[in-house]
Each structure stands twice: as structure tokens, then as C-alpha cells.
Amino acid sequence: MKKNIILFLTLLLGCNLSGYCQQAKHTFALGDEAFLLDGKPLQMISGEMHYPRVPREAWRARMKMAKAMGLNTIGTYVFWNLHEPQKGKFDFTGNNDVAEFVRIAQQEGLWVILRPSPYVCAEWEFGGYPYWLQNEKGLEVRSKEAQYLKEYESYIKEVGKQLAPLQINHGGNILMVQIENEYGSYGSDKEYLAINQKLFKEAGFDGLLYTCDPAPDLVNGHLPGLLPAVNGLDNPAKVKKLVNDNHNGKGPYYIAEWYPAWFDWWGTEHHTVPAQQYSIHLDSVLAAGISINMYMFHGGTTRAFMNGANYKDTSPYEPQTSSYDYDAPLDEAGNATPKFMKFREVIQKYLPAGTQLPAVPAVKPAISIPAIKFTQSVSLLNTLPVAKENITPLTFEALHQDYGFVLYRSTVQGGKSGLLKLKDLRDYAVIMLNGKKAGTLDRRLNQDSLILTLPAGKVTLDILVENLGRINFGKYLLQNKKGITEKVLFDGAEVTHWKMYSLPFGNLNAVKFGAGTQSAQSPVIKKGGFTLNKVGDTYLDMSGWGKGVVWVNGHNLGRYWNVGPQQTLYLPVEWLKKGHNDIAILELLKPAQTQLKGIDKPILNILQP
């Protein structure tokens, strides 16, 4: 008897220490027409939501919203560049704690579809790849190249340690795991896909694996033997035929990405799609018994410097906005939209008889902040680190820098005018002569040169270059280095002997501010604060500012840029506190600006010249 009591207490203590006791194991399998949970049909009604785009403190609340709309499953990518930001250094803490995200979903009664492919796309920096892969000579992502596979294997094994125990066949809530991601839009190497499958299994993912591809590319991206999921197609007959043709004439049928709206990029109109336009398609898909994952159910915010960019031969470089509102059923702050209510009505029709959805949680309170005061500032040029010197400009990657900015400095002989040309600028540059802004260059607009008139004597030429986001889709994944990637010419002659100052701005701890808001004629960092009697979501109105980045209470809220369409930065209630709150702004274009307020609604749809 004593032995039994000791064994029970030991097990209980083990559960408490781990914070998680395995639930009863289930089976999840492929039927000919439907997914089978414990031998019974399950129609997954899923919504995509990415853990780094939502404050950790809000994960549970967003999942309750998912349940209220009728979802039974959450889909999420896993982001390599978050979890291995530097080679061999892994991070699964704080907002990167994806295992806790999955556990909270289980506690809230939600299944999970896991998408831990090293490549995610997702409008995310470098499609999820860590920048340092580009420093491995000869490494080629999404290929059988040996170095890539070695780094891939190391990464996926670390992910497996975190998440493989949470698969449904181990008592967790992960139903299926996706290998690669829309590979058919990139290549057709079945051997490479088979290597993906092998690496996933070796990492402990021993449940159901699947592939997903847009309908036109599914043949290229499907690995025989795995379930082929379809993206971007919601005609039930076409979905079933496509899957049957590639899966031995059988189902089940899963639309892995169903798009009820779209994302935004700087300088283009805000994308919105009326709910009615898509609710009829949701109805027909669910009526046909097809499982679905809406991308996105809740977009949230791509904070810090983690937005990606698109680039094609037929269109310009298109860096995405920090807001990932996506016109999704849940808005950027996690509130139900008319689309949410319309989709909820449709889903209710297909729930088991007698099932009633939870009440929709009330709209979260939003607050205004009438005036935010700035009491300290410093010119960016007065807060530089130790320089690295080289004859020619070095890229971010050569400087072992991931994101943010690099200041390139050289000295040129003045007293003349000429064309300054940057070959090949990636992505945005502020040009300064003797500390004064002389112009800007913007890769979006195919700008790489401008006429400068230099004052007499020796002139300090400063070029502040911003990485606006590495390309996340297509063949240019392999051409993704940042900074001045070739050379600088002035008046036809190459400018050499450069000093480079790394400014990644992972935090502002090293910045030394001066009192007052002294005037500057070049980029500036301002610091101030505001006091709150009550907290709530708010939106910083940046429409009167130029371009830059905002931190509140140490959290990087993302980029702002008055070209739009995004004119506000979402500031979540979870990162505010009663009493004093700190704020800092890096402003590139309007250093004299001091007026800032928080408003109670976002502005996501205004373009400015």
C-alpha cells in the first residue's frame, strides 16, 4: 500500500513539475472520405493564428474567440528565425514558447495543425529562415545541398523536442504536421520532399504528415503516400477531384489555406473583402464535409523587424506592413468583426445537433491618450557603436547583423556636384552630408541614385540603410542579402574606405539620451512617457511622423511609414500599465516632430504621397 501511495505521489509531483500531464491518447487517421478521430469522422474547422504575432498574455483570450466562432482547431507555423536567431543558439521562451501555445489550445478544447517547415512564407522575414544561413558558403535553402540539410536537421530536432510529445498519438492535441510549405510553387524534387519526411520522423513526428500546395502546383509539391492538402481553392468538386487524382482516388479533403482576405504592403491600398463574398463559399465547403483552415482567422501584428517582402521580375520590391490585420474575422486587437459574426452563423449550421456555441466575448475596451510628451533625444549620429572598416561596403550578413540598420560612412572631396549611385541598395537609404539629410533612396521605387551638391573641402558622406524585410517567396529567396550589396559611385568614381556601424536595435539599452528635444537635421531617437489611470488597447497615430520604429515599455511595436496605408501602430493592453509608461521613437525623416497621441481606432487605409 505504501509503495502504491509513493508511486502515485511521484507521478503527481512529476506532473506538477512539468506543468503538464499527458491527456488520454487518441487515434487520428485518414478515412476514405473523412478524417477519423478515434474511428469517428471529424471535420476540422480551423483558423490560422501565429503565436509571435499575438502577445503571449493574450493567447488564451484569442483562443476563446476561436471557440466562440465555432472553430475546433488552430493552425500555426513554427518560425526558424525566431527559435535559432544565431547559429546553434535556440530560444523557446516568452513569446517564442510555441509548446505552451499548443498546451493552452488543448486546455481551451482546440486541436492544432502544426506547420514547422523550415520555410513558412507567411509574409515573414526571409520566409522564416534565419539570416545567418546566407553566411554559410554554398548553402542553398529548399534543396538537397548538404549544409542546408545539416542545419535543417539540427533545427527540426530541436522543434521535435518541444512539440513531438504534444502529438495526438502521444496524448496531446496536434492532429497533423505539415512538411515543407507550398513547395510545388518553388520546385518539384520528390527526393527533397522525401528527405523532409525522413527528417520529420527522425525528429519524433510519428503521427500524420501532410503536404500543402496551391491547386495549380499541387502535383509538383505532393509527396506520394502523404495527404495532399489544397491551398486557395474552395470549389468542393474541384478540391475533391484534385485530391483524388493525387491520393489513390481517396480523401479525406483538407483546404489548408482558405483566404477570406489578404495582407498589405507599404504604398498600396488596404485590402478588404466583404464577408458575404466568402461566407457562401465557407457554407458550400462545410456542406461538402471538407475540412478547412482559414488563413488568417487572426493575423495580429508583425512586430519589430520581422515582416517579409515580395519581389517578382514583373513587379517592384514590396515590403509588408507591420499590421497583419489581414481583414480577418478577428481584427488586429482580437475583436470580432462582421466577418466573424457571418462565419459564425455559417459554422453553427454544421455543428452536431444540440451544440450551442459560446457567447461572443465583448469588444475589448480601447483608450485614447491625448498627448505623449518627449523629454529626451539624441541624434542617431551621436549614438554610434564601434565601427568596422573595409575598402568596400559590407552587407548586413558580412557584419553578422540580422535586422535593423547599418550606417555606412566615408569621406569624399567636396566642392562639386555629381550623381551618387548605390549598387545594389537593399532597401531604403537616408543620405547625409556633414550630418545633414540630403535625400532618400527607396528600393520600392527602383531608386538607386540622386544628384548631390557637395560643400567645399572634405565631406563626410553618411548612408543609413534600413533592411525593410527579406523576400519571403519565390526564387529571390536565394538573393536576399541586405545593405549596400555592391558598391557606391559618386560622379562616376567608386567611393572606398568605408566605416560601418551596426544598428540592429534589438533594444535601446546602449542609447544615451540627452535632456530636452534639441533640433536635429538627421535621424533622431526621442524618449518620453505618458501616464495612464486605466489601461486598454490603443493605437499610436503616426500619420504626422515620417518613417521609423516605436518602442513602448521595451516592446518593439513595429515600423511606421507615412506612405501608408497603415498610419497607426497597435499598442496592446497587455503591454501597458497604470501609472508611468515609457516610449521611444526612432524617426528617420521628420526629426523636429514631437506631437503624438493614442487613439481608440486603427487607421489602416490611408495612402499619402
Side-chain angles (χ1 to χ4, degrees), residues 136 138-145 147-149 186 478:
E136 304 294 313
L139 187 149
E140 185 176 333
V141 300
R142 306 190 87 178
S143 79
K144 293 179 291 191
E145 190 275 322
Q147 292 177 96
Y148 171 64
L149 293 179
Y186 186 84
L478 301 177

Side-chain angles (χ1 to χ4, degrees), residues 259-570:
Y259 309 110
W262 207 240
F263 59 91
D264 290 339
W265 54 94
W266 294 110
T268 59
E269 291 186 358
H270 177 49
H271 294 80
T272 59
V273 181
Q276 184 60 36
Q277 188 172 323
Y278 275 88
S279 59
I280 56 174
H281 297 289
L282 178 62
D283 201 331
S284 65
V285 165
L286 295 183
I290 294 173
S291 290
I292 193 168
N293 178 54
M294 56 189 68
Y295 190 106
M296 299 289 296
F297 160 66
H298 173 49
T301 311
T302 310
R303 295 184 178 85
F305 304 109
M306 300 312 294
N307 65 279
N310 281 334
Y311 186 86
K312 308 185 192 84
D313 293 325
T314 55
S315 62
Y317 171 74
E318 298 170 340
Q320 292 120 18
T321 61
S322 292
S323 171
Y324 202 61
D325 175 89
Y326 219 93
D327 193 34
L330 274 195
D331 68 15
E332 190 173 3
N335 294 309
T337 66
K339 191 172 286 182
F340 178 103
M341 303 307 293
K342 200 73 179 175
F343 288 0
R344 173 182 155 98
E345 288 175 18
V346 172
I347 293 169
Q348 178 78 67
K349 295 165 54 178
Y350 298 98
L351 298 178
T355 302
Q356 193 63 37
L357 290 177
V360 179
V363 173
K364 298 163 65 189
I367 63 172
S368 297
I369 305 173
I372 297 171
K373 294 182 179 179
F374 295 93
T375 55
Q376 301 178 76
S377 69
V378 61
S379 168
L380 185 69
L381 300 180
N382 292 333
T383 185
L384 300 176
V386 175
K388 293 185 179 178
E389 299 187 27
N390 201 58
I391 296 294
T392 56
L394 297 175
T395 64
F396 278 53
E397 290 74 17
L399 294 167
H400 298 281
Q401 181 176 334
D402 45 12
Y403 316 117
F405 304 78
V406 169
L407 183 78
Y408 295 84
R409 173 173 287 174
S410 187
T411 302
V412 293
Q413 184 60 47
K416 58 183 176 181
S417 296
L419 183 74
L420 179 75
K421 185 176 181 65
L422 277 56
K423 298 181 64 174
D424 170 14
L425 171 64
R426 299 182 187 171
D427 300 298
Y428 185 88
V430 179
I431 314 298
M432 292 163 276
L433 300 176
N434 291 337
K436 296 180 181 179
K437 182 165 75 75
T440 61
L441 295 173
D442 185 347
R443 184 184 181 191
R444 293 178 314 121
L445 306 177
N446 292 319
Q447 296 173 344
D448 68 354
S449 56
L450 77 166
I451 296 290
L452 292 180
T453 299
L454 305 185
K458 296 287 186 181
V459 176
T460 298
L461 170 65
D462 285 324
I463 305 174
L464 179 66
V465 176
E466 180 179 6
N467 165 10
L468 277 175
R470 291 182 179 86
I471 295 161
N472 58 260
F473 181 82
K475 65 181 182 180
Y476 290 101
L477 280 172
L478 301 177
Q479 300 172 37
N480 239 338
K481 292 188 176 181
K482 291 298 182 180
I484 300 173
T485 60
E486 290 190 29
K487 57 187 175 182
V488 177
L489 302 172
F490 180 70
D491 199 23
E494 183 173 0
V495 181
T496 57
H497 295 91
W498 291 91
K499 292 181 178 179
M500 281 139 293
Y501 302 87
S502 290
L503 299 163
F505 287 122
N507 57 59
L508 298 180
N509 296 342
V511 177
K512 295 181 180 179
F513 293 91
T517 54
Q518 62 266 30
S519 62
Q521 295 177 291
S522 60
V524 66
I525 308 173
K526 297 174 184 284
K527 186 177 180 182
F530 54 94
T531 301
L532 297 177
N533 296 320
K534 63 176 183 178
V535 296
D537 286 332
T538 193
Y539 303 85
L540 300 180
D541 182 1
M542 310 305 301
S543 56
W545 294 68
K547 187 179 194 309
V549 185
V550 178
W551 293 260
V552 172
N553 293 331
H555 296 281
N556 186 328
L557 303 185
R559 309 178 205 259
Y560 64 90
W561 195 356
N562 63 5
V563 299
Q566 176 185 348
Q567 299 292 344
T568 52
L569 276 172
Y570 170 53

